[in-house]
Amino acid sequence: EDKVVQSPLSLVVHEGDTVTLNCSYEVTNFRSLLWYKQEKKAPTFLFMLTSSGIEKKSGRLSSILDKKELFSILNITATQTGDSAIYLCAAHTNAGKSTFGDGTTLTVKP
Amino acid sequence: DAGITQSPRHKVTETGTPVTLRCHQTENHRYMYWYRQDPGHGLRLIHYSYGVKDTDKGEVSDGYSVSRSKTEDFLLTLESATSSQTSVYFCAISESYSRAENIQYFGAGTRLSVL
């Protein structure tokens, strides 16, 4: 059975802090690891990772994949209140479907 | 929402009644998915489709059926709704070529309450 585990499940920080969100996966026929952000509505795409060790970066957010150890991390530096959201990771397979983790709820306080 | 429309957006129904949720896309994407989201459970795949009339089960398919007779429409049916099917339902689509097919775009969701 395919499985994706995210940690921590929730996190409360103050503006300016740096956070690291974790995602481990065990899936058959792994193809890619994706991160999504969900703010009280539909999830929106952040990153797609297919190769180990190559960092993807977008502003204050960055992510990396380790295909040997089967995990990924999402870093957010200099957090802002607008970063408050649920962050979901998903492992996508060659069968064309994704298995999602339960998400990390990030709350950034002013 | 990447050309994805879910209808209805909200529905309240009674236990034992049939319910159909509709997902309509204007992107001509090959893959379509139905997920449910419950507190503390992230997104769980119900069914997905990889083409017209080609569908497969996800991890929580019991009590649900789907149909895809046209590229643009993917219907989710609860044959006899139960209270355990109270949830938020998301439809998603993804493309059919290159690595772009891994990225899913989500509709706005349907909030279903079964009383």
Side-chain angles (χ1 to χ4, degrees):
Chain A
E1 182 184 336
D2 293 346
K3 188 166 66 172
V4 174
V5 178
Q6 292 187 243
S7 64
L9 292 181
S10 65
L11 193 54
V12 180
V13 301
H14 287 92
E15 275 191 318
D17 289 349
T18 294
V19 299
T20 298
L21 309 184
N22 304 294
C23 175
S24 64
Y25 63 92
E26 286 182 46
V27 301
T28 303
N29 295 320
F30 173 82
R31 181 162 184 167
S32 59
L33 192 290
L34 298 103
W35 286 95
Y36 294 86
K37 179 182 181 182
Q38 186 175 22
E39 299 174 87
K40 295 191 182 295
K41 47 184 181 177
T44 55
F45 169 73
L46 291 174
F47 297 112
M48 182 175 72
L49 303 149
T50 55
S51 301
S52 279
I54 298 175
E55 186 182 53
K56 291 282 184 86
K57 204 168 167 63
S58 176
R60 296 176 294 102
L61 279 66
S62 63
S63 184
I64 198 161
L65 174 68
D66 185 328
K67 290 172 72 174
K68 182 178 177 185
E69 299 298 327
L70 307 182
F71 78 90
S72 174
I73 60 172
L74 175 69
N75 282 318
I76 308 175
T77 60
T79 52
Q80 302 171 357
T81 55
D83 295 326
S84 294
I86 299 172
Y87 290 85
L88 297 163
C89 78
H92 196 80
T93 71
N94 289 326
K97 60 178 182 176
S98 290
T99 299
F100 282 79
D102 288 341
T104 293
T105 301
L106 175 65
T107 302
V108 182
K109 294 189 170 183
Chain B
D1 292 330
I4 309 168
T5 303
Q6 290 187 231
S7 59
R9 292 292 314 281
H10 302 273
K11 186 169 181 68
V12 180
T13 191
E14 293 184 351
T15 299
T17 60
V19 175
T20 295
L21 308 183
R22 180 182 184 234
C23 179
H24 178 78
Q25 60 144 329
T26 58
E27 307 296 322
N28 200 35
H29 284 4
R30 177 184 176 190
Y31 293 96
M32 298 186 76
Y33 308 83
W34 276 109
Y35 293 92
R36 61 177 288 173
Q37 187 173 36
D38 305 293
H41 276 98
L43 292 166
R44 292 186 289 177
L45 182 65
I46 305 171
H47 283 279
Y48 69 110
S49 170
Y50 44 94
V52 173
K53 298 188 179 177
D54 290 323
T55 65
D56 205 351
K57 295 179 180 180
E59 60 183 305
V60 290
S61 59
D62 287 348
Y64 302 95
S65 63
V66 290
S67 66
R68 191 170 179 197
S69 58
K70 297 184 288 185
T71 298
E72 58 266 35
D73 289 324
F74 193 32
L75 304 180
L76 177 70
T77 297
L78 292 65
E79 301 290 347
S80 177
T82 67
S83 58
S84 64
Q85 293 175 314
T86 292
S87 188
V88 179
Y89 291 85
F90 285 103
C91 173
I93 64 174
S94 62
E95 295 184 74
S96 62
Y97 58 91
S98 77
R99 291 182 172 176
E101 74 180 29
N102 297 334
I103 301 170
Q104 295 182 29
Y105 301 93
F106 289 83
T110 293
R111 186 172 295 274
L112 176 67
S113 296
V114 184
L115 305 178

